[in-house]
Amino acid sequence: MLRKTRTASQLQDEVSRRIHRAPEVVEDGVKIRVPRPQSQEPDASGCNWTMKHFGNAIGFERVVNDALKAVQKEYDLSESDDTKDLNSLFGDFPKS
């Protein structure tokens, strides 16, 4: 299946939406923090991004994993400026 391309913000929003509509998450009223996607070399399935370190997710690991895997099957991370990781927030430092 050909994946659609989305920005990091769009992927983050989609994973969050799927997690927070899961019945057990709705029932418990928990708010799970969804991290920004990080680009990676395509894995065995061809996915070029991943997410790590979800916040407040203890007890909801299955829901988080299911949502993440479903979105990874459908979408690739675009190569736009929106994909810069947080460590490069201020750009590259000048070489001395």
Side-chain angles (χ1 to χ4, degrees):
M1 178 173 105
L2 192 61
R3 290 181 174 94
K4 300 171 191 131
T5 303
R6 296 291 184 259
T7 65
S9 294
Q10 290 171 322
L11 292 173
Q12 186 178 27
D13 290 345
E14 182 62 17
V15 172
S16 180
R17 184 183 68 77
R18 292 184 191 207
I19 289 170
H20 291 100
R21 75 174 187 197
E24 50 268 65
V25 173
V26 171
E27 183 179 308
D28 284 1
V30 68
K31 178 70 175 158
I32 296 171
R33 189 188 61 76
V34 178
R36 298 278 292 173
Q38 299 297 309
S39 63
Q40 66 178 13
E41 289 299 315
D43 62 16
S45 72
C47 182
N48 72 346
W49 62 278
T50 191
M51 289 179 164
K52 297 179 182 175
H53 312 297
F54 288 78
N56 202 32
I58 295 173
F60 298 97
E61 293 88 355
R62 184 192 55 78
V63 171
V64 168
N65 190 52
D66 290 351
L68 178 60
K69 294 300 179 200
V71 176
Q72 285 177 318
K73 282 183 182 179
E74 294 178 38
Y75 301 105
D76 268 337
L77 179 60
S78 71
E79 297 299 322
S80 73
D81 288 340
D82 195 22
T83 64
K84 289 181 181 176
D85 84 352
L86 297 178
N87 293 328
S88 64
L89 194 60
F90 299 104
D92 293 331
F93 291 107
K95 304 225 188 277
S96 42

